[in-house]
């Protein structure tokens, strides 16, 4: 009898073992519930069990005491939306958008960025019969294509693995300020729908500056829904919803994804928590968060679920150095502990986050793990937890980390980890103790002024008293290495960049990182797989953008602006088919600063490029486009755009961090600056990305090469949104058109060159047409400044190098069939700086709010709905010298000396305006566009007003001998001199 029982026991034991293979649970055990508490912007040092002393977090500390605390856990990105994408899909954020990646917070009107047929952690649990819910912040989009915010909001959370959703649809700092439940707006009234851009904006509570920024409401309508939304009650409401949902689902296995709005700005804790911490509203918001965690733990206990529930507590990225964060640091609270960096940046403080797991009887209480883990791993881990085949995963980056939760392995389960910041060039790879970052700096925000919301980078490190060998006085050193390597085993706080000490490690890590990078610089980029119908629809709801930027083309150099002796049928057709501006201003009269202004939407003095690079002169070796500037392609990348730049760059391509690829372009073919072989071999060398394509390329071949590249890109990219920047050498010297155009005009080689420009434009327009994209592509044509030599200003005074109208007023043409009415000719003042905010608006991307943009969204003007310019004043700089201020019809030229002028304007010339000017001169441009008649004596009050405005802008943007309060450092000695 005993022998028979022992044999039966052995059979049972074997059966148990077989059942448990690939599944930590015995067949007789109930599947565990899972609660994932996903906090917003909680830093590594923000809770007690990770070292905080200025806040009290007893409930979170209890989790750690009863579970396992991880010290080397990471979000896949230092930014919210990409981290959430990785968490839910088990894929690195670079995989999103068909491989172009998701890098920043999702814009307001974005559709759902997770394909509905993709496996998610919600679907993992649904596949095993779990009830699933997402409560809290979503920020992954709704609908296909552009989200018009009309119900039902599908596809959305209910289509990617959740039975129920309730929460804040975007982010608590950004509109719409309403709650969403399942696929409708809470308080929805069909007679009063939510309207993006609706006027007036619906009222929503505002908070004092110390609460940090809450953006203005961009929605009108839905008044009842807006009344329901209460920032200070959101934490309580979400917690009540979570407790209620747990109670209703206690009898069956469930997965709760509790995604808090705490502690993202604005810091709006319930009034009972205000003043309870020692570090202001930032700490008070953490106190409310801790209470929320306690309520959920108590609910599990009250329902008898604690023993069979895995609770995971973590954050989407590190703490952010906004106003609240800065106040907390001043009070002695270290939001990211001793780690370097903050949210948005790639340094450890941006993505190393708290991670605590509790599962009584399975996870050792009070334990700690130093294993390298990432939230992207939760998908595979949850599959293993529920007995699903992890080996069946394909195309995922997720690693099964169940052993590091329930056991104590000594060997690492994860060998390497890809980590993403806000800016693509700073993508990083972790392997063992080594952390390699592909560029200088943090790749995050870069604010540093007291009034700025989003601080980051070197200035933020200095504020937090962090030490880093690349940083001096809050800036990256000029001689800092081009990339970064850190030994985190010996130097967790990243005090020393050892890039130059370990060239063999750098080479290995760079190759590893390159295997993950979006392939921007392939010799001939291959066509991408055709997107699914849902993806294709998503891409085609926002327009493509093509900017054709001529070089030194004057206001009167093409047919539709009155040119004689040249034929420009394609450009004339472009104008007749859309909007032609007769008052289009570029904020520089030379090439480099004009290009910087177009790409950044900011005056050249504000973005640190006020003078042209003088190639071949050593003083310009470190003078380039600042990596901290946010460019058009970087902005559009957030909405899934792929970008191409062809032609002349002239913003320091040779300067580390200033290459087109570093500025956000995915593909690039061009020459670093002017075509000038006499100044060195780099001036007739054609580059593809950062690799040499061809040396000694003939000038005559360039326009065709660039045009071929654009045409091929349009064909390859036609199923997804794109931005193309065509930066021609035409009509800058040397005047060398292709032989097919020689002798075709009546203006010599200058006119022949213009006719080749027209032909190139025609080919690009034809490619757009052939791809079926006419109605979904906005084409912009303009020039970087006025003409030289044989060029025509169309009767304007001056030309290139001059602050007369002939130097700054250039052709400006916009065409978007079916959207921009054809045949418009407008004298409403527009500028090249308008392109960034215009494109951002049309792509549904929020433009940067951590810096001053000088351009405007001018869509109402282009649509013919508005005739008033958004510009009260225009500022005419010649290099670093403010020389004129314009207010509508009035333009005041300011006194100057020869010493004030940049080197290109010191010698008197009819085309260079006033080299010296003792008294201000005023011109009425409505009656005297040629600036011939000085009327200063007749209008002293206007002179006085504009002189006062000149002083105001000098204080902000600077002048030859004045440093402005919002002027980026100019990396040149004596910038006005050659």
């Amino acid at each position: 009898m005993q022998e028979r029982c022992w044999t039966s026991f052995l059979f049972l034991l074997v059966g148990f073992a077989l059942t448990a293979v690939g599944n930590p649970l015995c067949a007789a055990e109930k599947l565990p519930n899972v609660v994932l508490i996903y906090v917003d912007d909680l830093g590594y040092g923000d809770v007690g069990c990770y070292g905080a002393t200025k806040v009290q977090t007893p409930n979170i500390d209890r989790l750690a005491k009863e579970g396992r605390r991880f010290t080397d856990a990471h979000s896949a990105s230092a930014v919210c939306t990409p981290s959430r994408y990785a968490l839910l899909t088990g894929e690195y954020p670079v995989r999103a958008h068909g491989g172009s990646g998701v890098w920043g917070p999702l814009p307001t009107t974005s559709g759902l960025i997770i394909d509905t047929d993709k496996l998610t952690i919600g679907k993992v649990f649904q596949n095993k019969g779990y009830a699933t819910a997402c409560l809290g912040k979503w920020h992954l989009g709704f609908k296909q294509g552009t989200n018009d915010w009309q119900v039902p909001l599908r596809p959305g959370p209910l289509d990617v693995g959740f039975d129920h959703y309730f929460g804040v649809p975007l982010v608590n700092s950004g509109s719409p300020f309403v709650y969403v439940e399942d696929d409708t707006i809470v308080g929805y009234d069909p007679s009063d729908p939510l309207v993006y851009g609706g006027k007036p904006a619906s009222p929503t509570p505002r908070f004092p500056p110390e609460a940090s920024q809450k953006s203005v409401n961009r929605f009108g309508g839905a008044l009842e829904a807006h009344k329901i939304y209460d920032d200070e009650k959101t934490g309580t409401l979400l917690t009540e919803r979570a407790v209620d949902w747990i109670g209703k689902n206690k009898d069956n296995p469930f997965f709760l994804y509790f995604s808090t709005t705490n502690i993202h700005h604005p810091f709006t804790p319930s009034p009972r928590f205000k003043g309870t911490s020692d570090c202001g509203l930032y700490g008070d918001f953490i106190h409310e968060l801790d209470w929320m965690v306690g309520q959920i733990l108590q609910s599990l206990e009250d329902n008898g679920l604690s023993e069979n529930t895995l609770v995971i507590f973590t954050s989407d990225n590190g703490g952010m150095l906004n106003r609240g964060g800065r106040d907390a640091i001043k009070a002695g609270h270290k939001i990211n502990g001793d780690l370097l960096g903050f949210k948005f940046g790639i340094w450890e403080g941006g993505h190393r986050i708290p991670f605590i797991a509790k599962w009584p009887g399975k996870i050792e209480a009070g334990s700690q793990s130093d294993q390298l883990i990432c939230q992207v791993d939760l998908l595979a881990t949850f599959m293993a937890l529920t007995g699903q085949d992890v080996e069946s995963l394909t195309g995922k980056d997720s690693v099964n980390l169940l052993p590091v939760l329930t056991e104590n392995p000594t060997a690492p389960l994860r060998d390497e980890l890809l980590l993403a910041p806000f800016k693509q060039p700073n993508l990083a790879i972790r392997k063992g103790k080594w952390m390699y970052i592909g560029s200088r700096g943090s790749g995050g925000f870069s604010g540093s002024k007291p009034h700025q919301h989003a601080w980051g980078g070197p200035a933020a490190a200095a504020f937090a008293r962090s030490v880093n060998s690349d940083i001096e006085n809050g800036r990256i050193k000029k001689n800092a290495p081009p990339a970064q390597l850190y030994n985190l085993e010996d130097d967790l706080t990243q005090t020393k960049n050892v890039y130059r000490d370990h060239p063999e490690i750098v080479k290995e890590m760079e190759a590893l990182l390159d295997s993950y990078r979006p392939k921007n610089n392939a010799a001939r980029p291959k066509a991408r797989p055709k997107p699914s119908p849902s993806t294709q629809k998503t891409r085609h709801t926002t327009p493509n953008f093509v900017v054709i930027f001529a070089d030194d083309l004057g206001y009167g150099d093409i047919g539709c602006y009155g040119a004689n002796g040249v034929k420009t049928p394609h450009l004339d057709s472009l104008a007749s088919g859309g909007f032609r501006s007769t008052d289009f201003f570029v904020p520089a009269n030379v090439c480099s600063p004009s290009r910087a202004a177009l790409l950044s939407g900011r005056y050249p003095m504000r973005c640190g490029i006020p003078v042209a690079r003088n190639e071949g002169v050593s003083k310009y070796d470190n003078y380039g486009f600042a990596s901290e500037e946010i460019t058009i392609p970087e902005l559009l990348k957030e909405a899934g755009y792929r970008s191409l730049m062809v032609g002349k760059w002239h913003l320091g391509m040779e300067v580390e961090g200033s290459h087109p690829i570093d500025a956000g372009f995915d593909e690039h073919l061009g020459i670093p600056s002017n075509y000038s072989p006499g100044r060195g071999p780099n001036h007739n060398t054609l580059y593809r990305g950062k690799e040499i394509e061809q040396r000694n390329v003939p000038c005559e071949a360039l326009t065709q090469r660039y045009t071929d590249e654009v045409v091929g890109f349009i064909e390859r990219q036609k199923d997804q949104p794109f931005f193309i920047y065509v930066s021609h050498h035409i009509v800058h010297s040397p005047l060398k058109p292709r032989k097919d155009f020689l002798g075709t005009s009546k203006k010599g080689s200058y006119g022949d060159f213009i006719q080749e420009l027209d032909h190139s434009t025609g080919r690009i327009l034809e490619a757009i047409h052939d791809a079926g994209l006419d109605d979904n592509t906005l084409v912009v044509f303009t020039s970087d400044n006025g003409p030289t030599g044989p060029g025509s200003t169309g009767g304007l005074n001056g030309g290139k190098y001059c602050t007369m109208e002939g130097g700054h007023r250039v052709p400006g043409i916009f065409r978007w069939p079916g959207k921009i009415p054809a045949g418009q000719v407008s004298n409403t003042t527009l500028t090249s700086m308008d392109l960034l905010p215009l494109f951002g608006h049309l792509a549904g991307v929020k433009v940067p709010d951590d810096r001053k943009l000088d351009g405007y969204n001018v869509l109402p003007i282009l649509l013919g709905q508005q005739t008033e310019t958004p510009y009260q004043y225009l500022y005419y700089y010649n290099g670093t010298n403010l020389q004129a201020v314009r207010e509508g019809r009035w333009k005041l030229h300011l006194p100057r000396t020869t010493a004030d002028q940049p080197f290109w304007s010191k010698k008197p010339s009819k085309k260079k305006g006033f080299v010296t000017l003792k008294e201000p001169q005023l011109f009425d441009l409505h009656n005297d566009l040629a600036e011939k008649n000085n009327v200063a004596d007749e209008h002293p009050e206007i002179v006085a007003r504009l002189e006062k405005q000149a002083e105001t802008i000098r204080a902000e943007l600077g002048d030859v001998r004045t440093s402005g309060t919002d002027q980026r450092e100019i990396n040149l000695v004596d910038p006005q001199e050659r």
Side-chain angles (χ1 to χ4, degrees), residues 213 445-447 452-455 628 630 847-852:
Q213 179 173 291
F445 282 156
S446 56
Q452 291 174 323
H453 166 63
W455 282 35
E628 292 85 1
I630 295 177
V847 298
D849 57 11
D850 67 322
R851 64 199 64 207
K852 166 72 174 177

Side-chain angles (χ1 to χ4, degrees), residues 115-126:
D115 292 340
T116 56
D117 58 355
K118 188 181 292 292
L119 181 66
T120 65
I121 57 175
K123 289 182 180 180
V124 165
F125 287 107
Q126 283 183 332

Side-chain angles (χ1 to χ4, degrees), residues 48-68:
C49 55
Y50 280 87
T53 60
K54 297 293 182 178
V55 295
Q56 290 75 49
T57 54
N59 295 299
I60 299 170
D61 298 347
R62 173 189 161 197
L63 262 182
K65 185 176 181 181
E66 297 176 354
R68 176 162 293 176

Side-chain angles (χ1 to χ4, degrees), residues 449 452 605-606 852 955-957 964-968:
K449 300 289 193 301
Q452 291 174 323
M605 289 286 277
R606 205 184 298 279
K852 166 72 174 177
E956 182 179 332
L957 294 185
T965 59
D966 193 17
Q967 173 192 344
R968 188 178 293 284

Side-chain angles (χ1 to χ4, degrees), residues 354-393:
F355 191 104
I356 304 169
K358 172 193 170 186
W359 188 9
K362 303 296 190 300
I363 295 176
E364 180 184 355
S367 58
Q368 176 179 300
S369 173
D370 301 326
Q371 284 267 353
L372 173 64
I373 67 171
C374 181
Q375 294 162 1
V376 76
D377 299 326
L378 288 181
L379 185 135
T381 303
F382 291 156
M383 287 187 71
L385 176 74
T386 55
Q388 300 178 61
D389 183 11
V390 177
E391 298 301 321
S392 67
L393 285 178

Side-chain angles (χ1 to χ4, degrees), residues 52 300 346 459 554 726 907:
L300 294 173
I346 198 58
V726 188
K907 293 182 179 180

Side-chain angles (χ1 to χ4, degrees), residues 33-88:
N33 307 303
V34 177
V35 175
L36 172 58
I37 302 173
Y38 203 54
V39 186
D40 201 347
D41 289 4
L42 187 77
Y44 189 80
D46 270 336
V47 294
C49 55
Y50 280 87
T53 60
K54 297 293 182 178
V55 295
Q56 290 75 49
T57 54
N59 295 299
I60 299 170
D61 298 347
R62 173 189 161 197
L63 262 182
K65 185 176 181 181
E66 297 176 354
R68 176 162 293 176
R69 183 175 70 91
F70 289 80
T71 63
D72 199 0
H74 301 262
S75 53
S77 169
V79 192
C80 46
T81 293
S83 289
R84 291 160 200 275
Y85 177 89
L87 172 82
L88 293 186

